[in-house]
Amino acid sequence: MCTYTTEKFAIAGAGKGLGGGASAGPGAAGPGAGPAGPGAGPAGPGAGPAGPGAGPAGPGSGGPPPGWVRLSEAMVYFDHPVSAPSDHALAIDFLAPAAGPAARLAVELDANSAKALADAILSILEAAAPVAPEAAAALGR
């Protein structure tokens, strides 16, 4: 494993279709919670990109039935993917520690797809800035 960098930060959002829904369990997003064996998952400290290791993170929401789960954390890292068909991938784990260790959504993108997603996010924030104060604030306006 060669995690190049890992950023963990608080978020505010929601997600749907997460692995575990409202299962309970403390410590869902801490070191060693990764799905691919002992210690940290394939993406560094915290959760790896696939499996039931850690719950979604950040104030938001997401989840399978029974519904949405509040997301409070996200981890972004570049490493060898678990499932993506490339040698390296940008991985994003959305975590909801309060909902238990299975409440997480993991995404692995090749570098070009990650760049396209980042560009699309910024473009949408730019378009929304004139009518949405929170979008303007996110862009530093």
Side-chain angles (χ1 to χ4, degrees):
M1 291 186 208
C2 59
T3 301
Y4 296 97
T5 186
T6 299
E7 296 287 332
K8 182 176 180 179
F9 50 93
I11 63 169
K16 188 174 181 182
L18 301 177
S23 62
S61 64
W68 291 79
V69 173
R70 288 281 181 207
L71 301 173
S72 59
E73 298 173 10
M75 291 182 59
V76 178
Y77 47 90
F78 194 77
D79 202 346
H80 297 288
V82 171
S83 297
S86 59
D87 289 335
H88 292 88
L90 179 102
I92 307 169
D93 291 340
F94 296 99
L95 309 170
R104 72 188 282 269
L105 175 66
V107 177
E108 295 177 330
L109 302 169
D110 66 34
N112 289 330
S113 296
K115 172 77 167 68
L117 176 61
D119 291 344
I121 290 169
L122 291 173
S123 175
I124 289 171
L125 286 173
E126 287 286 345
V131 296
E134 58 276 354
L139 295 169
R141 298 184 188 161

